[in-house]
Amino acid sequence: MPSNLPIIKANTSHENISKMKVIAKKNKRSISKELEWLIERHIAEYEKEYGEIKTLVTITANKETSFTEKAKESFNLGFEKEIRKGKK
């Protein structure tokens, strides 16, 4: 079943890809899931050292409003504030 998750593309060597396939297979994961696990681990380690990273997704994760609607709202609010600053 296709996923609606965003896609990250990266350039790397054939050797790195081959090695990641071996690691993913050993961990009973697809390469995609293995890379997702690595990203999550890296973020957790970073946040442990420097604190939680606040993003629009973090802020809207528990809301009923979709990310796209919230992003548009956030952009529009910022734009409106800039217009108001110019009028004052």
Side-chain angles (χ1 to χ4, degrees):
M1 182 197 299
S3 171
N4 289 331
L5 294 173
I7 297 171
I8 294 175
K9 293 177 103 177
N11 298 323
T12 191
S13 68
H14 292 290
E15 184 177 9
N16 285 342
I17 293 169
S18 295
K19 288 180 179 184
M20 284 304 301
K21 285 180 180 180
V22 170
I23 294 167
K25 186 174 181 178
K26 183 177 180 186
N27 291 327
K28 296 182 171 54
R29 297 185 185 111
S30 65
I31 289 181
S32 182
K33 285 296 180 184
E34 186 70 26
L35 292 171
E36 182 179 22
W37 179 83
L38 285 170
I39 291 167
E40 289 170 355
R41 191 172 106 194
H42 181 65
I43 291 169
E45 289 173 5
Y46 182 94
E47 289 183 326
K48 185 177 180 180
E49 185 171 345
Y50 299 103
E52 183 181 6
I53 301 167
K54 300 285 187 188
T55 66
L56 187 58
V57 174
T58 305
I59 295 164
T60 61
N62 296 321
K63 305 286 181 185
E64 288 182 24
T65 308
S66 75
F67 172 73
T68 305
E69 291 169 351
K70 207 60 171 165
K72 286 179 186 174
E73 179 183 316
S74 177
F75 173 79
N76 289 335
L77 289 174
F79 185 69
E80 289 169 7
K81 287 178 187 175
E82 290 301 316
I83 290 174
R84 287 187 212 135
K85 282 182 188 177
K87 289 184 179 180
K88 285 186 177 181

